Amino acid sequence: MLLALMILLITVTTSFVQSHDSMELVDDDEGWEMVGRKGNQFVLNGQPFYVNGFNTYWLMVLAADQSTRPKVSQLFQQASSVGLTVCRTWAFNDGQWRALQKSPGVYDEDVFKALDFVVSEAKKYKIRLILSLSNNWDAYGGKAQYVKWGKEAGLNLTSDDDFFSHPALRTYYKAHVKTVLNRVNTVTNVTYKEDPTIFAWELMNEPRCTSDPSGDKLQSWIQEMAVYVKSMDPKHLVEIGLEGFYGPSTPDKAQFNPNTYATQVGTDFIRNHMVLGVDFASVHMYADSWISQTITDAHVQFTKSWMESHIDDAEKYLGMPVVFTEFGVSVKDQGYNSTFRDNLYSTVYKTLLNSTKRGGSGAGSLMWQLFPEGTDYMDDGYAIVLSKSPSASNMISLHSTRIAIFNSLCSWKCKWGCKKKTALDTILYHDEL
């Protein structure tokens, strides 16, 4: 059995390397199906689909300028070369420079065509997209821009959190959702809501509603918007975009939060994800931002316990996959070095593999963030350029290979309760593939 699995490993690895080294592009729709969900696993063509992915939020803006558009293709090519299969990026830019939505319901067609290009280019490199539809923060407009528009229209608004509760602002948001989902791609002629290239819709990047620590205001917004997206597009997966903080509904879980403030930002991980229309849970991980900007081993320990707690919750309470949709470490942190970064990445990947091998809810992770060469001016400290980070590149590629093995061996029904499991442990946890 072990010999047979070793042969299978070599076959999968060889296929993986050949397909990505040759950059074989997808030119037709054969085999390019929607990713779905069964229980706590993603599925694709009846097989499990575990995710190794990345964030690059600014793709639409760079694609809007012909001089920087090639960077989008370069990024997807490099991501594909190390087996990354899902990219999370913004499908919004509200009222800012290079705005997609210049004012409520008014769009810049050139910028929309840039997003069309991003979607079409992702498919060429067999990469699927999580498209986020709005931002909690001011970057790219965010909820503050919606409130500004509301004030300009004469609404009596007193807080950016009115975005979540005021009927007119909810209508603005839903109009944007409708526009994006029904967009017909000018490159592929495929409507977004029909396009398997889109892995999932994200309601908002890191929603918080600090004006209501009870969480009721944000919960109401999530309930309305998740159902709204699903009513318009029942085919695609939907996630909220949460950071994963535990809230008032689970006081016993507060011990896992990175600090006491996290319980007061109006989010509630378990309660929020029990909403009808939400398909999988999202969690972010920033020990260097939440605990201390000075690097310590406590960051790695927190990351591991944070992950294990949310994987456990996704299995016991939610019955859905959980994706760690942002994680990373900044070169600006005091005491930073690449060895620590690699240790953090290794911890994330090993924790996920421990879940994967038993058919658990740990469905994948998205590093923050991947950059091509020549885009350093946008680096927030977390960017990885593969050509400049060989150790990280090798680690990412190795994890992709391991995930590819799981995705190819067994149907979702197996849950890894078969004889392959013991032998797989021998293969998958050996440092030299």
Side-chain angles (χ1 to χ4, degrees), residues 104 145-159 162-163 165-172:
Q145 181 62 58
Y146 279 86
V147 169
K148 182 179 178 182
W149 283 334
K151 288 180 177 177
E152 290 171 352
L155 301 180
N156 182 23
L157 305 171
T158 58
S159 164
D162 288 339
F163 169 86
S165 56
H166 198 285
L169 300 190
R170 287 190 177 198
T171 299
Y172 285 172

Side-chain angles (χ1 to χ4, degrees), residues 286-348:
Y286 290 112
D288 59 348
S289 185
W290 298 340
I291 298 175
S292 167
Q293 287 189 321
T294 300
I295 295 296
T296 71
D297 290 340
H299 288 193
V300 176
Q301 294 163 7
F302 165 79
T303 299
K304 187 172 186 291
S305 64
W306 185 244
M307 291 182 71
E308 289 173 345
S309 176
H310 287 83
I311 290 171
D312 189 54
D313 294 335
E315 292 167 8
K316 289 183 177 178
Y317 305 112
L318 302 176
M320 61 173 56
V322 57
V323 179
F324 298 89
T325 46
E326 288 189 25
F327 77 94
V329 61
S330 173
V331 297
K332 299 175 184 179
D333 295 336
Q334 187 174 345
Y336 170 87
N337 58 71
S338 60
T339 301
F340 177 84
R341 179 200 62 202
D342 292 351
N343 186 26
L344 181 73
Y345 273 58
S346 176
T347 298
V348 171

Side-chain angles (χ1 to χ4, degrees), residues 67-361:
S67 68
T68 52
R69 177 171 286 196
K71 291 296 180 186
V72 175
S73 306
Q74 184 183 347
L75 176 81
F76 285 144
Q77 181 270 325
Q78 292 174 356
S80 179
S81 74
V82 291
L84 295 169
T85 57
V86 174
C87 169
R88 177 171 170 263
T89 194
W90 296 170
F92 64 85
N93 188 12
D94 303 309
Q96 308 290 300
W97 178 75
R98 292 271 185 206
L100 173 63
Q101 186 175 199
K102 297 188 288 186
S103 60
V106 179
Y107 290 83
D108 186 320
E109 179 62 17
D110 289 337
V111 179
F112 233 141
K113 285 180 177 178
L115 185 58
D116 294 342
F117 174 80
V118 171
V119 175
S120 66
E121 204 69 0
K123 180 186 174 183
K124 287 183 182 179
Y125 291 96
K126 301 183 182 180
I127 290 172
R128 299 172 194 271
L129 301 173
I130 295 177
L131 294 182
S132 190
L133 296 164
S134 59
N135 202 0
N136 183 72
W137 313 108
D138 293 351
Y140 284 56
K143 64 185 181 185
Q145 181 62 58
Y146 279 86
V147 169
K148 182 179 178 182
W149 283 334
K151 288 180 177 177
E152 290 171 352
L155 301 180
N156 182 23
L157 305 171
T158 58
S159 164
D160 286 350
D161 285 347
D162 288 339
F163 169 86
F164 297 113
S165 56
H166 198 285
L169 300 190
R170 287 190 177 198
T171 299
Y172 285 172
Y173 173 83
K174 289 199 285 188
H176 175 63
V177 169
K178 183 177 181 180
T179 300
V180 174
L181 270 59
N182 287 294
R183 170 75 175 181
V184 178
N185 192 310
T186 55
V187 181
T188 65
N189 204 36
V190 177
T191 306
Y192 280 29
K193 66 181 181 182
E194 302 290 339
D195 194 341
T197 308
I198 296 168
F199 178 84
W201 301 111
E202 178 177 277
L203 299 183
M204 174 178 255
N205 173 50
E206 299 186 335
R208 294 184 183 184
C209 186
T210 53
S211 63
D212 178 23
S214 76
D216 292 343
K217 187 183 292 187
L218 181 58
Q219 181 76 359
S220 172
W221 184 85
I222 294 170
Q223 288 172 334
E224 180 175 341
M225 300 312 167
V227 168
Y228 181 75
V229 173
K230 275 293 186 181
S231 68
M232 192 175 302
D233 179 6
K235 296 180 180 180
H236 280 105
L237 301 168
V238 171
E239 53 106 350
I240 302 168
L242 290 168
E243 296 158 281
F245 301 135
Y246 294 105
S249 74
T250 52
D252 57 315
K253 292 283 184 177
Q255 61 179 313
F256 293 104
N257 279 342
N259 51 55
T260 55
Y261 177 67
T263 63
Q264 302 166 27
V265 297
T267 67
D268 201 326
F269 177 73
I270 293 177
R271 181 190 183 199
N272 294 156
H273 282 106
M274 286 181 169
V275 167
L276 181 67
V278 175
D279 294 295
F280 66 95
S282 64
V283 178
H284 294 181
M285 301 186 290
Y286 290 112
D288 59 348
S289 185
W290 298 340
I291 298 175
S292 167
Q293 287 189 321
T294 300
I295 295 296
T296 71
D297 290 340
H299 288 193
V300 176
Q301 294 163 7
F302 165 79
T303 299
K304 187 172 186 291
S305 64
W306 185 244
M307 291 182 71
E308 289 173 345
S309 176
H310 287 83
I311 290 171
D312 189 54
D313 294 335
E315 292 167 8
K316 289 183 177 178
Y317 305 112
L318 302 176
M320 61 173 56
V322 57
V323 179
F324 298 89
T325 46
E326 288 189 25
F327 77 94
V329 61
S330 173
V331 297
K332 299 175 184 179
D333 295 336
Q334 187 174 345
Y336 170 87
N337 58 71
S338 60
T339 301
F340 177 84
R341 179 200 62 202
D342 292 351
N343 186 26
L344 181 73
Y345 273 58
S346 176
T347 298
V348 171
Y349 291 155
K350 286 179 179 178
T351 304
L352 283 168
L353 284 172
N354 284 336
S355 172
T356 302
K357 69 177 184 178
R358 60 179 175 78
S361 284

